[in-house]
Amino acid sequence: MKKKAVNIGIIGFGTVGTGTARILLKRRREIEEKCGFAIVLKRIADLDIKRDRGINIPKGLLTSDSQSILNDPEIDIIVELIGGIHPAKEITLSALKKGKNIVTANKALLAEEGRQIFKEAAKNRVEVGFEASVAGSIPIIKVIRESLVGNRLSSIFGIINGTANYILTEMTESGVNFETALKEAKELGYAEADPTFDIEGVDSAHKLTIMASLAFGIPFSFKKVYTEGITRITPLDIQFASEFGYKIKLLAIAKQDGMDVELRVHPTMLPADDLISGVSGVFNAIFVHGDAAGDGIYYGRGAGEMPTGSAVVSDIVDIAKNVVSGAGKSIQRMSITDNTGLKIKKMEDIRTGYYLRFSALDKPGVLSKISGILGSHNISIKSMIQKGREKEKAVPLVMMTHVAREKDMIGALKKIDRMSVVSGKTMYLRVEGEEG
Ligand code: HSE
């Protein structure tokens, strides 16, 4: 052991920065006892060093000059908690070039610019810890990279955005519409002032990109992730889903089948008795199937000051151990190549079951026309509900189908939506968790 203390600098003193500082200061003695060396929070940089975060920061720790952290030769690990791409990218690259290890919670930065970040880290023989970038306190990065390292992973899917899950849970349990549930999420501080990334699935797609790269060794493929959010979900669909025995969840799905990889984020109907369906409110859960380990589910808090701070501290401690022992310099932590031969499937080639809600006139022959079009596109109906009876008026006609190809479904719906007896655009949702 060469060193008895590892110095840390935090850049970005927002929610996660505050949680991280709180844990490092409060648990300093325990961490030292567990590790055998001290982890010292040496400096915290933020543009706003006046705001009271409800935490006692020792004098002299705060600075508004991030360069003073980047240029401090005594700092071994820089914790980037600014979020977003700029200036986080520039600060991270500059830190790596200076030989600093990085710990980050920045999923957008890794999903979109990960190639450059990890290349620079490898060049400078330093590490990038990113446990906090996916699913907050759930140690899913460790699970994929370390615990299941002896497995071939074929399926990773789950709820990795707490805001969207809170909204869908509220819509399911209180029967409110999307707008009301979003307003509540904002009032409770779960949704950002601009919640676009959460409700449009972008945040989940960032996190899925990172997990898929780790699991399959493929390059960061954020641009190839099919991404659809929850804004078009109505209380009516939630109610029908429940009548068929399903729940609607925003799922992030990564599957490997032969040389094909599926990467998609969209609202999904899951059997109500599936363990993932029982994940409520802001909680996250991720299902992973490994060929040796079998099925596993990892559950916990995916956001917030202390849960995400907890994940940041776990990376700090891991990397600090390597700083102390010198092992970090020889460890290759990220194994991503362009040569896996794996191909990301086009969305039109995906095969799933579907839920369809037509708004169709209640008159003789309508159902047979709709089912005729579905049949001619190789789509087989599994079950059906028609609600209400209003002569010559449109009523909801709801179907569940057997597994079909997305391209066939899109083609069939185009034709069905042009029928004069069908009003408005047909609502469709993909269904997981059932074969056939
Ligand atoms: N906005 C994210 C969520 C948390 O709602 O889960 C940070 O990744």
Side-chain angles (χ1 to χ4, degrees), residues 139-150:
I140 192 67
I141 300 300
K142 217 169 223 191
V143 164
I144 297 174
R145 187 163 58 185
E146 296 175 22
S147 318
L148 299 179
V149 69

Side-chain angles (χ1 to χ4, degrees), residues 1 19 32 53 70 72 80 94 97 107 123 133 153 161 181 183 283 300 327 351 364 408 413 422 429 434:
M1 297 234 172
E32 184 168 351
R53 276 102 168 159
L70 288 167
D72 184 339
E80 181 274 303
S94 155
K97 284 189 179 121
K107 59 249 157 168
K123 197 165 132 198
S133 67
L153 305 182
N161 184 273
K183 195 165 155 267
F283 277 85
R351 293 177 59 83
D408 292 330
L413 293 184
V422 168
L429 289 168
E434 277 190 357

Side-chain angles (χ1 to χ4, degrees), residues 107 133 160-164 190 192 198 203 207 284 302-303:
K107 59 249 157 168
S133 67
I160 49 177
N161 184 273
T163 308
Y190 296 147
E192 308 281 333
D198 292 322
D203 177 74
K207 294 167 180 167
N284 285 193

